[in-house]
Amino acid sequence: MDLGDAVPLSTSFPLPFRVLFLIGLGILGWATNLHGLHLLGIDAGSALELYSGRAFLPTNSSSPRVSSSPRVPYVPVYRLFAGYTTWCFAGWSFFRLATHSNTMLVDTFKYIPALSSLGVLTTLICPFELCQKRERDLFLQSAARCLFSSMDSPVYFSDVVFADVFTSFAKVLGDVWLSFCMLLPGGSLLSPPALNGLSQWILPTLMSLPYIIRFRQCLIEHRSPTNTSKRPLLNALKYASSFPVIFLSAAQRIVVLELAEVKGELVTREPWHGEHPLFRLWLLAAVVNSLYSFWWDLTNDWGLNLLKPRSAESRSNPRPLVLPSLHSKASSIAGSSDAHIVSQSHTSSSHQVLGGAIYRHQSYPYGLRPVLLYPLLVYPLVMFFNLVLRMTWSIKLSSHLHSQSEGSTLMLWLEVAEVLRRWMWVFIRVEWEVVKNVQHKSQITSTRTAPEEVELMPSNRSDPTDDD
């Protein structure tokens, strides 16, 4: 381990506090996801089934609601983030004051990050009405469904998004285990614990857990009597492609030991061992996983056409036609009875009203799709960042890099970047889910009602197999 790089960060910002920081960043990201969707007129509470056991509750007058989501579901999450941040920042500040950046005192006061982490865990499972109990219960219920639901249980869109977000915290989950080992008697915050024997497989197994959950959800969807598509199996294959990356990385210890016998101990400090077949196999697995995941993001999770066969249709910039009567914050997609789909039978191309804007279906930018709810510039930027961060994230799933760079600032920033990537992913993923359900429902209701106006009533089930 390079102490010149690792010790300063381990002294001022040890791994347990970095884990708490990344969890807090995830909470903030979720709050801003809900807030942004709300500002765009999308009822995230209904679209993500946050406040009911059903997906996309009916909004027409003849179908009474089972329950209704709050108008501003992001406010309690912001409050939860504020309380969480206050607690963690107080613990970190006390740690900094106690150690004075003195490396010799770091392990003496390691009980401070231990108490900070214990306080977070205790609050999470606390049964009393405090610290936004409703939001904590929603989190625990979704986690329980992902982990313990039967193979015959339905897979809800909210659980799919939850599990997908969880995959972005796979490295953080491994860091939780390392932090636990560091905080035990005999452990040190200044260096990661030595992983020998069977213990070297605990870390990759924990990092595989989010992908196992999503793999299982895909199999559940494939077993569904209503499923007639191979898409769940293709999606399951994507998650399965992460397992070789994780476990071949754990096997790199064999690579290092074999090369050390030939080149000496200095080889243990080198990150590149291209002459060994196991190393090349791990690198190939990382590239395949990254590219497959990137293709799936664009084509299935976001519904974009960039990597689909190019059609003969002409592509041009969409022309939004804003209708003042519909461009209102009071009407929200997938959650308000005031939202409508309007089609004009006297025009040459159909129109779709989403969030107050109408886009021509047969005229849209190359690589995108007919209905776009966000500014046009958002999509190429998100695609670019998604590709770059997908490539780096597969490398970050490699547990053999932990011992070399656990104290590295670069590794921390890569974890932050992955949280940012997932934050962007959620916006486009929920947008596409809403668009799909609106279009699907409009196709059904258009055969039963007049073509001038069709009331929006999203379907009760989403297709979780489209997800990352």
Side-chain angles (χ1 to χ4, degrees), residues 339-357:
H340 296 80
I341 299 172
V342 179
S343 62
Q344 301 177 6
S345 58
H346 301 294
T347 60
S348 59
S349 61
S350 61
H351 296 73
Q352 188 96 27
V353 176
L354 289 171

Side-chain angles (χ1 to χ4, degrees), residues 123-136:
T123 302
L124 176 62
I125 62 177
C126 177
F128 302 113
E129 294 287 344
L130 52 87
C131 296
Q132 309 302 319
K133 184 177 185 300
R134 187 179 191 182
E135 320 310 312
R136 293 188 286 109

Side-chain angles (χ1 to χ4, degrees), residues 257-278:
L257 290 177
E258 291 183 357
L259 293 179
E261 294 178 358
V262 179
K263 296 184 176 181
E265 292 298 324
L266 289 178
V267 75
T268 60
R269 298 177 180 269
E270 298 176 1
W272 183 265
H273 309 295
E275 64 272 31
H276 199 285
L278 266 182

Side-chain angles (χ1 to χ4, degrees), residues 30 38 49-50 64 79 126 141 314 324-325 430:
W30 183 244
H38 176 79
E49 317 150 55
L50 297 179
R79 291 172 180 167
C126 177
Q141 290 166 9
S314 61
S325 61
V430 175

Side-chain angles (χ1 to χ4, degrees), residues 238 288-311 315 364-369 379 382-384 386-387 390-391:
K238 176 173 67 74
V288 170
N289 172 257
S290 297
L291 294 180
Y292 190 10
S293 299
F294 174 72
W295 171 79
W296 192 273
D297 282 341
L298 268 60
T299 305
N300 295 285
D301 288 351
W302 297 346
L304 303 178
N305 298 325
L306 180 65
L307 301 180
K308 292 180 181 179
R310 184 174 183 180
S311 66
R315 317 286 189 181
Y364 58 95
Y366 170 73
L368 303 185
R369 49 176 151 80
Y379 298 91
V382 169
M383 286 189 285
F384 172 76
N386 190 64
L387 175 61
R390 273 292 187 188
M391 298 300 292

